[in-house]
Amino acid sequence: GDRTGPNRTSAMGSEKYVLGIDGGTGGIRAGLFAVATGEPIAFADTPYDTSYPKPGHAEQSPSDWWDGLGASSRKVLRESGIDPRDVAGVCVDTTCCTVVALDADANALRPAILWMDMRASDQTKQVLATRDPALSVNGDGAGPVSAEWMIPKALWLAQCEPETFRDAAMICEYQDYVNVKLTGRYCGSANNVAVRWHFVDGRGPPTSLLKSLNIPELLEKWPKDIVGLGDVVGALTRDAATHLGLPAGVPVAQGGADAFVAMVGLGTIEPGQLALITGSSHLHLGVTDRRFHGRGIWGTYSCALVGGHDVVEGGQTSTGSVVNWFKTLCGGGDGFYDEVNAAAAEVPPGCEGLVVQEHLQGNRTPHTDPLSRGVVSGLTLRHGRAHVFRAILEGISFGTRLIFDAMEANGYKPSEVVVAGGATRSDLWLQIHADVANVPFKRTKCADAPALGAAILAAVGAGCYATVADAARAMVHMEGVVHPRPEVHAQYARAYAAYKATYPALRRVIHRQGSEAAFATSVDDADAATDDKTRATSSP
């Protein structure tokens, strides 16, 4: 909503603004920011629906994105009270990798395949089996390849919906669809192609990989022009300008994947910095000036950010979702987190021998094991709710440190971590993270890092700043630093060693339990289906 009142234009005169738009999973958010300071002026959100036509499938309607973009833009302009002529530029970031098949007029031929959609799991095995050099970003070629990425999804289209694949003039991402609707130009984001399209060294398409998969024609459907973050895609067309409530001709800057644009919004664009994006999961994105590949990490992605730097990636599948699970388990209400954080702060580091492995939804890195599961070890009658809660926070922090160790084994060590998302609301959790990793953790004033990152790129595209680094220095503001305490870091040595030993010690047991649980579920489902059939045939 409006943070300044409707008279801002007359009070501020010729101050310039930029529109940073974040196309997320649940909806699209427009943020209006002051060019000079990065001050957030107003936000507006428009939700859209996701459909789940089959287990593992997730789809959205591209027309919903476009409608939501216009609604959010018009609303944020209306509520802020600024003159639309004072908007210097626009940039959009989107979910990655959400794939669309379009005709020559940029109309969708089918619903978009959402980033989280797992239908292409069989195709990932075909991709990995090629052993193509482009797969070096996937654990140095050892894999796995994620079903979320572009090529498995495009291969699924070619194999399972061949008519759609044949008729598509464009196969691209949410990002590219929005930009062609805004400007009429069909182009790709240098960020997206580097991190999810297997472009070789971030620059050229993986022609040998596509040939091995018998889909060389995909090259003709992908965008030929690749535009870097903050570079100008084009100007708003008259129709798009009317849709957004802006004058025609406003420059549209190139965005990219939401988490990577959030790195810009956190100011993590220099080598040695790492962005920790927290929510239901953790995403670790480190900036490096050295190119490397290795087991237990993803990347490095060449030229994926700005300034020619590369990015190394790690991830934890279940983090904030585990914290929320524990709250639900305890029947926690509105004040639950304040209460349990205060109690957990009184528990000594290491939780008196209690250790939690946070793999309730599998492990993304460094083990890359979707069948791994959560473990609570060392539990005694002495341990109470506060111990378990703190052990969950510590277990997640141990998982982050394990990823940092995997990165360091391949030559990358973060000098500072900038945090965004839910973890920033817990001072205790941030301190545990810093103590366990022995690295300073910073947080920024603006919690909407993707929208601010898009706004920074818009300001560069509009010519308000010469470089993304210049814009970030002016528009990103740190709120505080949580420093590690060396004596506490030392106290975590035994608990961290126990955490590291848990996965290899229990992996086979957990896999067997998972298989048995899956079998029991399938038997239950079969029994239920039989019961339903019996009732149906015996009903009058």
Side-chain angles (χ1 to χ4, degrees), residues 247-280:
V250 173
V252 176
Q254 181 63 288
D258 45 11
F260 289 80
V261 172
M263 294 177 74
V264 176
L266 293 171
T268 51
I269 55 176
E270 298 297 336
Q273 295 181 312
L274 183 139
L276 177 59
I277 316 296
T278 70
S280 60

Side-chain angles (χ1 to χ4, degrees), residues 64 131 212 248 355 524:
D64 288 348
R131 299 187 176 275
S212 296
V355 174
D524 289 345

Side-chain angles (χ1 to χ4, degrees), residues 272-277 282-286 292 295-297 312-316 365-366 396-419 432-441 489 496 500:
Q273 295 181 312
L274 183 139
L276 177 59
I277 316 296
H282 272 24
L283 184 62
H284 319 73
L285 298 168
F292 57 89
R295 299 291 181 95
I297 59 171
V312 58
E313 178 180 1
Q316 291 165 270
T365 61
I396 294 166
S397 302
F398 292 152
T400 293
R401 179 177 169 184
L402 195 62
I403 288 168
F404 290 175
D405 286 352
M407 290 180 175
E408 187 173 1
N410 289 285
Y412 176 80
K413 184 176 176 62
S415 56
E416 66 175 30
V417 177
V418 186
V419 192
I432 291 172
H433 258 311
D435 290 337
V436 167
N438 204 28
V439 178
F441 275 61
H489 175 71
Y496 181 55
K500 285 202 297 182

Side-chain angles (χ1 to χ4, degrees), residues 101-106 109 164-171 186 220-222:
L102 309 174
D103 66 17
D105 296 318
L109 297 177
T164 302
F165 185 82
R166 183 198 65 213
D167 294 344
M170 311 176 210
I171 291 178
Y186 181 46
E220 299 305 313
K221 301 173 187 293
W222 275 353

Side-chain angles (χ1 to χ4, degrees), residues 445-526:
K445 286 185 178 179
C446 179
D448 289 275
L452 176 57
I456 289 168
L457 298 175
V460 174
C464 302
Y465 294 96
T467 67
V468 174
D470 290 341
R473 277 190 289 270
M475 298 175 72
V476 179
H477 306 284
M478 295 296 161
E479 190 170 60
V481 183
V482 179
H483 293 283
R485 297 170 295 181
E487 70 282 4
V488 179
H489 175 71
Q491 291 175 37
Y492 277 121
R494 182 172 295 179
Y496 181 55
Y499 172 87
K500 285 202 297 182
T502 300
Y503 175 78
L506 295 178
R507 182 177 66 86
R508 290 184 179 179
V509 174
I510 289 172
H511 283 190
R512 187 166 63 246
Q513 287 176 322
S515 299
E516 291 170 357
F519 176 75
T521 301
S522 65
V523 169
D524 289 345
D525 290 346

Side-chain angles (χ1 to χ4, degrees), residues 98-124:
T98 294
V99 174
V100 291
L102 309 174
D103 66 17
D105 296 318
N107 298 308
L109 297 177
R110 68 171 326 281
I113 303 174
L114 196 59
W115 66 271
M116 66 173 70
D117 189 291
M118 290 290 114
R119 74 183 67 191
S121 57
D122 287 343
Q123 282 71 28
T124 64

